[in-house]
Amino acid sequence: MQAFENAINVINGLVWGWPMIILLFGTHIFLTIRLGFIQVKTISKGIKLSVTKDPDAEGEVSQFGALTTALAATIGTGNIIGVGTAIFLGGPGAVLWCWLTGVFGIATKYAESFIAVKYRVKTKDGRMQGGAMYALERGLNMKWLGMLFAIFAGFASFGIGCATQVNAIAEVVYTNVGKPLGIHEQTTRIVIGVVIAILTAVVIFGGIKSIASVCEKLVPFMAGFYILGCIVILVMNYDFIGPAIAVICKAAFTPTAAAGGLVGSGILMAIRYGVARGLFSNESGLGSAPIAAAAAQTRNPVRQALVSSTGTFWDTVVVCLMTGLVLVTTIMKNPSINIDTLDNGGQMTSAAFSQIPVFGPVILTLGIISFAYSTVLGWAYYGERCVEYFAGSKVRIFYKILYCLVAAVAPIVALDIVWLIADTLNALMAIPNLIAVLLLSNIIAKDTKKYINDLDAYDETPVPIIED
């Protein structure tokens, strides 16, 4: 077992190493240029479109419902603890690289969402199916590669989307509620597992409409609540915001030591951990979020692609940046909080929110719980669609049952090896997805030019109906 774990560690280091970071970030930059800096249109048009209903267009859920479902899976503990980990390992300069990954990643999220809608299909009972697997099959005649993507994503959903998230919920509930009340840890974990499994089952057995309905309400609340907490801390640390921005920018390009409790780091370390955490946070290039985009009611692929790309804007450009500023200003304001004295990025985040009397830990606790639970819901839909692609529609019910069972036992089992395997599969998803967006980039650019100035135009290509 130890040998197996060592092997997975080696593979994980390879797939999440410099080649993958360069491939993903390089794709972000290439598509940004190829699509004429689509980020401008995302902000000027995509945000407005995301709250515009289009019920006459084909699809299962509203554009906002598809967006919030994707955001539910994307905005997770990586936005809170992940940014702290980036600073912990890469220094304050990692914040800038994390942010830049989000800015350029908007173009990749646009491209992968575009092909998810363009090449989507419809089952006889009216369910929309789409994602990298269908784009590879229908757009490039590479079904075998689509199958690989679906297998990687389907199995990854149990770990990265379910087990690790529920375990994080159990950990934060025990630390902040169970332990202070003297409740036995194992009891707390068992109860949390059962409760999350039941809540998940109630939602996911209702399909995408049920998931989207919950996410439409949960995502704006959880993001707004967390951002409000960040704003309060930044107001408290207002005199350190300017110096923090200066330190972040300087540390991103120079290997000098930082000040005020911050630990300096090399440029390569700042780039590696900043980009890696940014990619992990917004998932641009991994191909997961477009699976939800394919279910949207939209007149043409460009319209929904603009809406979906706003997800990266909110996730990384806004939420991760605010988290980074909160952490850096806190450490500069309190030099006694030296990164070297902490065990991980999570402790750094806890120290920052503890500045808000009484309510700080509550905001952080509720943030982690809601972010993690929403990820469970979003990835349940991703996994179901991928498993259906490679194993058929009859397995959907068994997938949902197994997914809920994993949620129930996740808090009481060791997840180190599960996390490693899921994280590795998560990275492997990116390879077929990036092949799809790069080889189809000419079509993406051509249709973008066609529809970008007439977003109300209908795509006259009918959505194919497939056998279940």
Side-chain angles (χ1 to χ4, degrees), residues 8 12 16 152 155-161 164 417-429:
I8 296 296
N12 185 267
W16 275 118
F152 293 148
F155 283 101
S157 68
F158 290 109
I160 206 122
T164 56
I417 190 66
V418 174
W419 169 261
L420 273 176
I421 294 173
D423 194 39
T424 302
L425 291 172
N426 207 213
L428 290 174
M429 290 167 54

Side-chain angles (χ1 to χ4, degrees), residues 24 185 197 216 237 299 328-329 409 423 468:
L24 278 163
E185 181 176 1
E216 283 180 346
N237 300 345
R299 303 184 185 197
V328 176
T329 56
V409 302
D423 194 39
D468 285 347

Side-chain angles (χ1 to χ4, degrees), residues 247-292:
V247 167
I248 288 171
C249 293
K250 183 179 180 181
F253 300 102
T254 57
T256 55
L262 289 164
V263 176
S265 184
I267 300 173
L268 291 181
M269 292 289 282
I271 296 174
R272 178 179 177 180
Y273 289 107
V275 172
R277 288 298 96 187
L279 294 172
F280 180 78
S281 172
N282 62 54
E283 298 180 12
S284 292
L286 299 187
S288 48
I291 297 173

